[in-house]
Amino acid sequence: VSTQSTGEFPNSIQLSSTQLNLKMILVGLVVALLGPIYSDAYNNILSLPAPENTENYLLLDDPFQAPLTELTMCAWYRQAYNDTGRYFLSYAVPGSSNELLIGDAGGELRIYMDDKSWTSSYDPQENVWTHICWTWQSETGNVVLQIDGVVVDEDSDFATGETVRTGGAMIFGQEQDSFKGDFVKSQSWLGTLYNLNIWNRAMSKEDLNLVYTDGFCGSGIDSMNPTLSWDDIMTGELKGAASVITGPCSDDDADDGAPPCGTDEKAHNPTCWEQQDKVNFNGSPMGFIQGDVDTAKAACFATKKCIAITCANINKPKKTKCYLKTSVDKPKKDKGKTSWHYNCKKIEQLAFNKAN
């Protein structure tokens, strides 16, 4: 990182959470009647292969038609290494090589805006498809980081009063230490990236959940009017060995996002429970099931609202108690608890990782 320290429709109507929900429902009705609505870049994954290099990247010139004083960035990404500073998105303008920089700083997620840095304690994983959303507001400096549908970090007073300027170059796979250049091999980002979208507003947490629950293979994000869409990014120029590969989604997946437990019409799939040891989900409990984890999972799914369970004394069946939760936000460390999140898409993506 070179530092000294530490819209497509700019006048578009800002949609409320209720309007977005209605819009997503309308999209669902159209899909039901006419079939899935595909974007041009649906199931197109950007591949940036090893080894370290300065040649492999995707270049998109002048991605913003108006300056940004708020933004939301969401994407699915899978990085091969988290050993040093490697940033999957590098946006530079003449005179500012770090106008917007997002990625991993050796075990920490770090974001730069005009050379001001913000670091989260979240440790990006290697070789695991991960969903990330990050929001920022210039007026307050408020930022929110959501990983796999869970808010893991919030802060304020970051880059207050700043603006993301137009007339720049956005590069995926290399970090710009000068405008469109001065790449460093050890900073090359290696991995795969999919469905990155940027909005010219800071989404609410409810809206972030809409993006996440649309899923890896969902087709509803276009209805949320991104300022810079994955379709736009896929029109960029591929360099070196950077390529576009076909993802794991089938035609039948386009309207099948990653719904929370119970909202899916499919039958309960016991293999879709993602276990997290020594974790207590902080959501308000709907009630509890005494004595059996599998029964608690089935009961959670049947409620149509529960998305997770947190259990105590799982090694003592007569004393096992599982609380049904409607949220997985802000999980807490707890040695005496084990939690499960119903997350079929995450399990499918892990299987895709192993196969690729």
Side-chain angles (χ1 to χ4, degrees):
V1 182
S2 176
T3 63
Q4 287 74 37
S5 61
T6 29
E8 188 170 317
F9 300 104
N11 297 316
S12 61
I13 296 172
Q14 303 296 301
L15 300 178
S16 67
S17 299
T18 300
Q19 289 171 314
L20 281 167
N21 275 296
L22 290 173
K23 201 163 188 185
M24 295 291 277
I25 291 169
L26 288 172
V27 169
L29 290 174
V30 173
V31 168
L33 292 171
L34 303 178
I37 304 171
Y38 299 103
S39 69
D40 291 339
Y42 179 76
N43 207 28
N44 288 344
I45 293 176
L46 176 62
S47 174
L48 297 159
E52 294 180 337
N53 63 86
T54 58
E55 295 81 29
N56 304 340
Y57 59 97
L58 183 147
L59 167 65
L60 184 67
D61 282 313
D62 203 12
F64 302 122
Q65 293 189 8
L68 302 180
T69 56
E70 296 188 7
L71 70 84
T72 298
M73 186 285 304
C74 293
W76 291 92
Y77 75 108
R78 181 180 66 171
Q79 64 181 27
Y81 303 100
N82 68 349
D83 54 341
T84 185
R86 300 180 189 272
Y87 297 83
F88 61 81
L89 186 157
S90 172
Y91 178 63
V93 299
S96 175
S97 62
N98 291 335
E99 187 75 359
L100 179 62
L101 186 66
I102 305 175
D104 176 36
E108 297 176 322
L109 186 104
R110 184 168 295 167
I111 296 170
Y112 286 85
M113 297 187 73
D114 194 21
D115 286 336
K116 298 177 176 65
S117 69
W118 179 81
T119 302
S120 170
S121 58
Y122 169 71
D123 183 5
Q125 301 180 69
E126 292 184 359
N127 294 310
V128 174
W129 275 112
T130 301
H131 189 259
I132 179 174
C133 280
W134 184 77
T135 72
W136 166 77
Q137 291 178 305
S138 175
E139 183 177 359
T140 61
N142 289 345
V143 296
V144 174
L145 175 64
Q146 184 198 69
I147 300 293
D148 289 337
V150 179
V151 174
V152 298
D153 216 338
E154 296 181 73
D155 209 344
S156 60
D157 296 324
F158 171 60
T160 304
E162 295 291 336
T163 298
V164 179
R165 291 166 285 188
T166 60
M170 186 170 286
I171 287 180
F172 301 92
Q174 302 291 338
E175 184 197 335
Q176 302 172 76
D177 282 342
S178 67
F179 184 60
K180 291 190 178 182
D182 284 344
F183 304 146
V184 178
K185 183 183 295 187
S186 63
Q187 295 175 345
S188 57
W189 192 84
L190 312 172
T192 43
L193 184 69
Y194 180 55
N195 213 9
L196 188 149
N197 294 269
I198 294 176
W199 289 263
N200 62 353
R201 58 192 176 86
M203 286 189 181
S204 67
K205 295 175 185 177
E206 183 177 5
D207 292 350
L208 296 180
N209 286 334
L210 284 176
V211 177
Y212 173 65
T213 57
D214 189 52
F216 191 92
C217 293
S219 62
I221 285 181
D222 283 346
S223 71
M224 300 176 76
N225 297 324
T227 303
L228 179 68
S229 70
W230 188 239
D231 274 7
D232 298 327
I233 292 168
M234 286 288 95
T235 66
E237 185 178 358
L238 294 167
K239 303 283 190 176
S243 65
V244 175
I245 63 175
T246 301
C249 306
S250 69
D251 291 353
D252 294 334
D253 288 328
D255 65 332
D256 181 21
C261 165
T263 63
D264 191 342
E265 294 181 357
K266 297 177 183 178
H268 178 221
N269 183 349
T271 66
C272 285
W273 288 93
E274 180 184 12
Q275 182 172 332
Q276 298 188 34
D277 296 323
K278 299 179 182 179
V279 168
N280 182 5
F281 290 135
N282 204 30
S284 300
M286 301 175 61
F288 66 87
I289 300 294
Q290 185 82 40
D292 185 76
V293 172
D294 289 338
T295 300
K297 291 177 179 177
C300 174
F301 182 88
T303 67
K304 307 298 182 184
K305 294 182 179 180
C306 172
I307 66 170
I309 62 173
T310 292
C311 303
N313 299 314
I314 62 172
N315 295 320
K316 300 177 181 179
K318 292 184 179 180
K319 295 184 178 181
T320 299
K321 180 181 286 189
C322 295
Y323 291 89
L324 279 58
K325 303 292 184 76
T326 59
S327 170
V328 294
D329 283 350
K330 297 182 179 179
K332 294 182 177 179
K333 294 288 186 182
D334 191 327
K335 294 181 180 179
K337 303 290 175 60
T338 302
S339 293
W340 286 265
H341 178 202
Y342 193 76
N343 194 351
C344 285
K345 285 299 174 187
K346 181 69 174 290
I347 301 302
E348 290 172 7
Q349 287 148 27
L350 289 173
F352 176 71
N353 294 348
K354 293 178 181 178
N356 292 273

